[in-house]
Amino acid sequence: MPLGALVSGSLRVGVSAFVSFVAFASSVSQAAHVVTREQALETMKRATTFMVEKVSLRGGYVWSYLPDMSRRWGELEAGPTMVWIQSGTPSMGHVFLDAYHATGDAFYYRAAEAVGDVLIAVQHPSGGWNYVADLAGEASLREWYATIGRSAWRLEEFQHYCGNATFDDSTTPDAARFMLRLFLEKREPRFGEAVERVVRFVLESQYPMGGWPQRWPHAASGEDCPDYARHVTLNDRVGSENMDFLIYCFGTLGDERLLEPIRRGMDAFLLLQQPAPQPGWALQYDPETLKPAAARTYEPASLSSSATAACIRDLMTFYERTGDERYLARVPEAIAWLEAITLLPHPAHRGSHPTFVEIGTGRTLYVHRSGSNATNGRYYVDYDPENTVTHYNSTRNIDVAGLKRHYERLRAASVEPAAPGELFRGGVVPTAFPKYVGGNAPVFVAAVADRAATERIERIVSTLNAEGWWPTPLRFTSNPYRGPAPKDVAPGEYVTTLVGDVFDTSMYRTDTPETGIAITSYMGNMRALIGFVGER
């Protein structure tokens, strides 16, 4: 498999990839309206100085902030001493390293170091990371979970504090990849020690059958942790994300002990595929019986079209990496099953396939809710497509034709198996991280085609305000915590809304967004500038 394909599948950095912006021909760069490289560098430096000195908490970040820092949010509102690992702090670290590579300025490496140091400070003793961390300590974090977290009606993963670490939403894999990349930069021992801890975490948490739980270590007796945290989890590509991290460790560090766990991890996909006539996959499985299991109350024990599509893609990737025919053997029947469960047109269907497929009957399960908050609300599933919840669609768009084309290309290609005694085919394992991991690599194109890119760079430079941040409409907000939610259902309709009554602390889209600071704006604009100033 080409290195670029493996990288694109493994280096998720928490936000959408932005196109790389280009270096321009000298005749264009001298035009009055074109930003100079020096102006772009100065913009990068001012914006990053603000983030490091005014926004960062000891190197950690959340997702968005009001300008006066009176409120701040990750997936939920965060306390003033909290940092967000999930889709947050490691992503900022990657941008800092990309900027360092584009400019050679050690200032950006120091910013990345601070990210690494805060990740070390909040790394769970077992070696992984939780979604969030509180630099004020365990008691403060537990208080947040007992208040804001427990009141977030639709975000049930935050209603329980398990006292451990999670693979969900690529939280631990994202932090692990950043720590590995940071260590490889200058081989600083403290970062290498953090990498070794997370490698042990991934190895020790793997079940003998090859899969991984959603959270680990298993919560201690008496902890308020849901049973599904122990399930063998495919949701959010838990297994694939873990293997991608181990593959990078093997390729860059030469760690041979990782090959057997990687093989078991790939083989778990074969083990978890269900028999005919429903040869798909579930989001999670009971670790004892390996039968599909329920998770959150809106995730019933069922088969999943999106998990099935993801597993098909992963199996084809495993084949490309290894040349092992076993990984393609049952792909055709899984594709045929997806074709067979394609939904008929219906006004309530927003996708082509059911999110949840009932085991045995093959019927679509639709998710609904009643009540108004986390205390009095409940989720349930039935066969009625009307009035389903909006935060977890009951249908998904699955590109079955694309899966079939990919499979047919593989069958038509000559994929040699790995050499005897080897797991991977030659040339498919990365031996280094790419120079840029966020879609920043500069490219050359004709100047006449660069007008849109030029205008984008001009806007980025001109809209950085005097304080050093890009004003951004914060389109998602939340109700502040008001105390325990009442048992009485509030007047109003909350069946299909993103948020419940005023006691629900879940994030929701607002029609009157406040202007604030968002790391997505910073990272997106920095990626554009990195592409502009990077080495030609």
Side-chain angles (χ1 to χ4, degrees), residues 83-297:
V83 297
W84 219 268
I85 313 304
Q86 168 204 27
S87 303
T89 297
S91 303
M92 289 289 284
H94 279 299
V95 171
F96 296 148
L97 283 181
D98 286 356
Y100 175 57
H101 292 163
T103 66
D105 189 338
F107 166 76
Y108 296 106
Y109 179 76
R110 291 193 294 272
E113 271 191 310
V115 170
D117 285 334
V118 78
L119 289 175
I120 290 173
V122 301
Q123 190 173 17
H124 190 269
S126 64
W129 284 268
N130 188 26
Y131 302 105
V132 297
D134 196 321
L135 299 181
E138 181 82 359
S140 181
L141 183 60
R142 286 184 178 274
E143 176 66 16
W144 180 87
Y145 268 93
T147 53
I148 291 174
R150 189 172 294 279
S151 300
W153 185 13
R154 64 183 174 84
L155 294 170
E156 295 178 9
E157 61 270 36
F158 291 109
Q159 293 175 12
H160 312 272
Y161 181 67
C162 299
N164 54 15
T166 185
F167 295 115
D168 190 40
D169 282 348
S170 197
T171 298
T172 287
D174 278 350
R177 279 189 291 261
F178 171 72
M179 294 303 297
L180 175 62
R181 186 184 181 209
L182 184 61
F183 169 66
L184 293 171
E185 194 69 39
K186 296 188 178 182
R187 303 272 174 165
E188 297 193 45
R190 69 187 188 279
F191 301 134
E193 291 164 3
V195 169
E196 173 58 24
R197 286 193 294 272
V198 69
V199 167
R200 289 200 304 267
F201 175 84
V202 175
L203 298 183
E204 292 170 3
S205 60
Q206 187 179 26
Y207 285 120
M209 50 71 63
W212 280 271
Q214 188 198 70
R215 304 188 65 94
W216 198 79
H218 297 320
S221 176
E223 285 283 8
D224 177 28
C225 195
D227 288 341
Y228 70 77
R230 295 172 176 258
H231 290 343
V232 179
T233 301
L234 296 179
N235 197 4
D236 289 325
R237 299 185 72 246
V238 164
S240 303
E241 293 282 355
N242 286 340
M243 284 185 287
D244 283 340
F245 168 63
L246 295 180
I247 288 169
Y248 259 91
C249 288
F250 168 67
T252 59
L253 303 176
D255 194 338
E256 296 279 345
R257 68 183 159 153
L258 307 182
L259 291 176
E260 189 275 336
I262 293 169
R263 167 69 83 182
R264 272 194 294 127
M266 293 191 293
D267 287 354
F269 285 68
L270 304 178
L271 186 62
L272 296 173
Q273 186 176 6
Q274 298 299 286
Q278 293 181 302
W281 284 264
L283 292 175
Q284 55 276 318
Y285 299 78
D286 182 283
E288 301 298 329
T289 66
L290 298 186
K291 299 294 185 183
R296 291 173 293 188
T297 57

Side-chain angles (χ1 to χ4, degrees), residues 250-517:
F250 168 67
T252 59
L253 303 176
D255 194 338
E256 296 279 345
R257 68 183 159 153
L258 307 182
L259 291 176
E260 189 275 336
I262 293 169
R263 167 69 83 182
R264 272 194 294 127
M266 293 191 293
D267 287 354
F269 285 68
L270 304 178
L271 186 62
L272 296 173
Q273 186 176 6
Q274 298 299 286
Q278 293 181 302
W281 284 264
L283 292 175
Q284 55 276 318
Y285 299 78
D286 182 283
E288 301 298 329
T289 66
L290 298 186
K291 299 294 185 183
R296 291 173 293 188
T297 57
Y298 43 84
E299 292 172 322
S302 60
L303 298 182
S304 163
S305 61
S306 58
T308 296
C311 288
I312 291 170
R313 287 191 292 269
D314 284 331
L315 284 170
M316 291 191 289
T317 296
F318 302 160
Y319 172 71
E320 290 179 284
R321 290 175 179 172
T322 66
D324 190 333
E325 292 283 344
R326 294 178 305 133
Y327 299 124
L328 287 190
R330 295 189 65 200
V331 164
E333 62 181 292
I335 292 175
W337 181 69
L338 286 177
E339 288 181 315
I341 64 170
T342 303
L343 291 166
L344 295 174
H346 188 284
H349 291 163
R350 287 175 282 175
S352 60
H353 285 72
T355 297
F356 300 117
V357 180
E358 190 171 47
I359 298 170
T361 69
R363 297 180 71 180
T364 300
L365 298 174
Y366 296 93
V367 181
H368 310 270
R369 73 180 184 182
S370 62
S372 64
N373 58 51
T375 297
N376 60 48
R378 74 179 186 96
Y379 286 88
Y380 60 96
V381 297
D382 60 22
Y383 307 120
D384 183 359
E386 302 293 343
N387 296 317
T388 58
V389 298
T390 57
H391 67 82
Y392 205 111
N393 289 340
S394 289
T395 61
R396 302 295 169 103
N397 281 313
I398 306 296
D399 182 12
V400 179
L403 293 172
K404 185 179 294 187
R405 287 193 300 270
H406 188 179
Y407 172 78
E408 290 170 350
R409 285 195 300 269
L410 290 179
R411 290 284 65 173
S414 177
V415 177
E416 294 294 328
E422 300 289 336
L423 177 58
F424 297 112
R425 299 166 55 240
V428 301
V429 174
T431 57
F433 278 83
K435 184 173 183 178
Y436 305 105
V437 305
N440 307 317
V443 295
F444 291 97
V445 296
V448 69
D450 293 338
R451 188 59 233 158
T454 308
E455 291 173 350
R456 173 64 170 151
I457 295 296
E458 291 168 356
R459 286 195 299 272
I460 289 171
V461 171
S462 65
T463 56
L464 187 72
N465 67 16
E467 292 181 77
W469 52 279
W470 283 285
T472 303
L474 303 183
R475 302 194 184 279
F476 281 85
T477 187
S478 65
N479 297 319
Y481 178 68
R482 299 167 181 262
K487 294 181 180 179
D488 295 332
V489 177
E493 192 282 308
Y494 304 106
V495 171
T496 60
T497 56
L498 194 59
V499 69
D501 62 28
V502 295
F503 289 90
D504 183 4
T505 56
S506 303
M507 298 289 286
Y508 65 92
R509 181 179 286 275
T510 176
D511 294 329
T512 56
E514 294 188 73
T515 298
I517 302 158

